[in-house]
Amino acid sequence: GRPTDRISAAWASAATVLDLVDAARRPDETPTEHAERAWRYTGVDAQLLFGLANQVTLATYSANEPTAAAADDAEAVARRIAQVAKRRAGWRRRLGLRWNPARAARLP
């Protein structure tokens, strides 16, 4: 797909993981504002979150299409955020995901 679409999907994937560890995006938050709150709440690396939030903002509003390499990077960062968030999720959350396959299936 188009790099813009891939970057948007990477952000959506990361936002889903953050939702599952109780750091869901609020309706009035920009990606950067969500990254700021999620980083403080979850301890996921701020550089990863802010980098991906910046990429999706640029991809959405820039007149220029991002490169395929930028999309590859966004997807890798989203996977890393998912790994860290899942590791930081408490045992109750992991147990809850184990007993809720539909929710667990949303994890990237």
Side-chain angles (χ1 to χ4, degrees):
R2 289 177 47 226
T4 295
D5 296 335
R6 291 174 55 205
I7 291 170
S8 294
W11 174 255
S13 173
T16 296
V17 172
L18 294 171
D19 179 17
L20 292 170
V21 293
D22 298 325
R25 183 176 174 206
R26 295 174 181 157
D28 60 339
E29 282 182 322
T30 66
T32 301
E33 290 167 340
H34 184 205
E36 170 82 18
R37 192 172 49 77
W39 162 70
R40 293 182 184 283
Y41 185 79
T42 65
V44 171
D45 188 292
Q47 190 172 357
L48 291 175
L49 285 170
F50 283 109
L52 187 55
N54 187 50
Q55 275 192 287
V56 75
T57 300
L58 286 174
T60 302
Y61 296 107
S62 175
N64 301 319
E65 180 75 18
T67 64
D72 291 343
D73 181 58
E75 290 166 347
V77 168
R79 285 191 298 272
R80 181 75 183 120
I81 289 168
Q83 290 169 349
V84 174
K86 285 188 277 190
R87 194 166 58 242
R88 290 186 176 270
W91 67 268
R92 282 187 197 155
R93 171 69 57 189
R94 287 195 298 272
L95 186 63
L97 289 174
R98 185 170 297 139
W99 293 107
N100 189 339
R103 214 160 181 220
R106 292 170 51 206
L107 290 169

